[in-house]
Amino acid sequence: MGKSSFDIQLKVLLVDDNPEFISAAQRLLSLDPEIRIVGKASSGEQALKMLNEQRPDLVLLDIAMPGLNGLETAKKIKEGTTVPKIIILTLYENAEYRDVAKTLSLDGFISKTDFGTKLYPLIQEFKLEKQAYGRNKEKSMKTILLVDDSSTMRRMVKASLQSIPHTDFREAANGLEAIEKVAIEPVSLMVLDLNMPDMHGLEVLKFLRSHEKYKSLPVIVLTTRGDETSRDAALAAGATLYWTKPFNPGDFNTRVRQLLGGLK
């Protein structure tokens, strides 16, 4: 049986300023054909840059590094829109460090002296989890495109919808980027702001509804504009729903579930 379109390999990013440890970790992990090392970083800053490029499933982080230490780096990763598994690997068996890792809800805290025995069982769990996720994704995954020039608002909307099962998220910071993304990859539902640079939300709606391919795409306008004129204009342009900010996450989640549930 050949590979499906879902990548079954667990993609790992190694982050440590000690090249000898990086080499040792690489040798160990490369023994497993279902593990692929997608990057090696010697600092937290470098790791954050590589994160968006490589989109790893797992980040192995040292604590003691120049600049951002491992825990600071983990915190910044957790603030992102796509959060991989994170395991701290350190020589410093420190209760305070463990407490911080626990507070950040990291996925592991392992002493480097136990690297060979304790890391691999965790990785096996992650592999099985990813493969199960992949099977579900291929069967029934829905994709939601969040379109807003505010990264904070995109994070808030994503957080309110993350409990919906078999759902993947894409993001766009403006209308032009949104149109590019729907052209490249199928989207199940769009959450669209109105006031954005480059292309207004109403223009995006009119573009979508002018093409047969996107006429039935559910589009929820989520905006600060609560006036009737804006509401009527958005609905006339083809908005499926009109929702105002600030919004109730529970109510919004329920309505999105209903829309996704009605899709074939």
Side-chain angles (χ1 to χ4, degrees):
M1 182 181 296
K3 275 189 182 181
S4 70
S5 59
F6 178 74
D7 185 356
I8 64 170
Q9 288 183 311
L10 189 79
K11 297 181 290 185
V12 179
L13 174 62
L14 302 175
V15 188
D16 198 306
D17 61 329
N18 184 336
E20 292 182 3
F21 184 77
I22 287 279
S23 296
Q26 186 172 10
R27 284 195 300 272
L28 177 65
L29 297 178
S30 63
L31 295 174
D32 189 331
E34 292 183 345
I35 295 175
R36 177 156 57 97
I37 297 171
V38 295
K40 294 174 283 185
S42 59
S43 68
E45 291 85 353
Q46 187 182 8
L48 293 173
K49 289 180 182 178
M50 297 180 72
L51 197 71
N52 292 329
E53 299 170 0
Q54 304 298 338
R55 299 177 69 87
D57 303 302
L58 170 64
V59 179
L60 300 181
L61 265 176
D62 185 32
I63 285 184
M65 295 185 294
L68 286 176
N69 66 40
L71 293 172
E72 292 168 336
T73 303
K75 184 177 181 181
K76 287 187 175 293
I77 292 174
K78 283 284 190 177
E79 291 170 354
T81 54
T82 303
V83 182
K85 301 285 188 182
I86 302 173
I87 295 178
I88 294 292
L89 289 170
T90 179
L91 286 172
Y92 301 95
E93 186 62 41
N94 182 301
E96 183 180 347
Y97 290 157
R98 279 188 177 274
D99 289 343
V100 173
K102 186 175 181 180
T103 300
L104 292 173
S105 299
L106 303 188
D107 302 281
F109 188 102
I110 299 174
S111 169
K112 287 183 178 179
T113 57
D114 297 324
F115 175 74
T117 56
K118 292 189 177 179
L119 176 64
Y120 201 66
L122 267 181
I123 286 182
Q124 288 297 107
E125 290 180 20
F126 298 158
K127 282 164 51 180
L128 291 172
E129 182 179 323
K130 182 181 182 184
Q131 289 162 8
Y133 172 83
R135 288 191 291 270
N136 288 332
K137 181 175 181 178
E138 289 178 338
K139 289 178 182 177
S140 58
M141 182 63 67
K142 300 290 193 301
T143 299
I144 298 176
L145 178 60
L146 309 176
V147 188
D148 200 303
D149 58 323
S150 166
S151 59
T152 300
M153 181 54 64
R154 295 197 303 271
R155 283 198 298 271
M156 289 175 62
V157 176
K158 182 179 178 181
S160 73
L161 301 178
Q162 244 172 346
S163 65
I164 301 176
H166 313 316
T167 303
D168 196 15
F169 295 91
R170 298 288 182 269
E171 298 186 29
N174 58 62
L176 288 176
E177 187 181 352
I179 287 175
E180 289 176 0
K181 286 187 180 293
V182 296
I184 293 170
E185 183 178 8
V187 171
S188 307
L189 180 143
M190 180 186 293
V191 180
L192 177 68
D193 187 25
L194 287 183
N195 295 322
M196 294 181 295
D198 298 328
M199 191 175 190
H200 194 275
L202 284 180
E203 294 178 273
V204 176
L205 271 170
K206 290 173 182 176
F207 171 86
L208 293 173
R209 299 319 186 204
S210 68
H211 289 72
E212 192 64 36
K213 184 178 179 180
Y214 309 118
K215 278 188 175 179
S216 60
L217 173 66
V219 179
I220 301 176
V221 168
L222 182 62
T223 177
T224 55
R225 291 181 172 271
D227 59 284
E228 289 298 320
T229 300
S230 296
R231 180 186 297 273
D232 291 346
L235 293 174
T240 310
L241 287 175
Y242 191 92
W243 217 280
T244 54
K245 307 171 187 175
F247 63 98
N248 181 294
D251 292 343
F252 192 70
N253 181 297
T254 298
R255 198 66 182 94
V256 170
R257 284 174 183 263
Q258 291 171 346
L259 287 174
L260 289 176
L263 298 177
K264 300 298 182 184

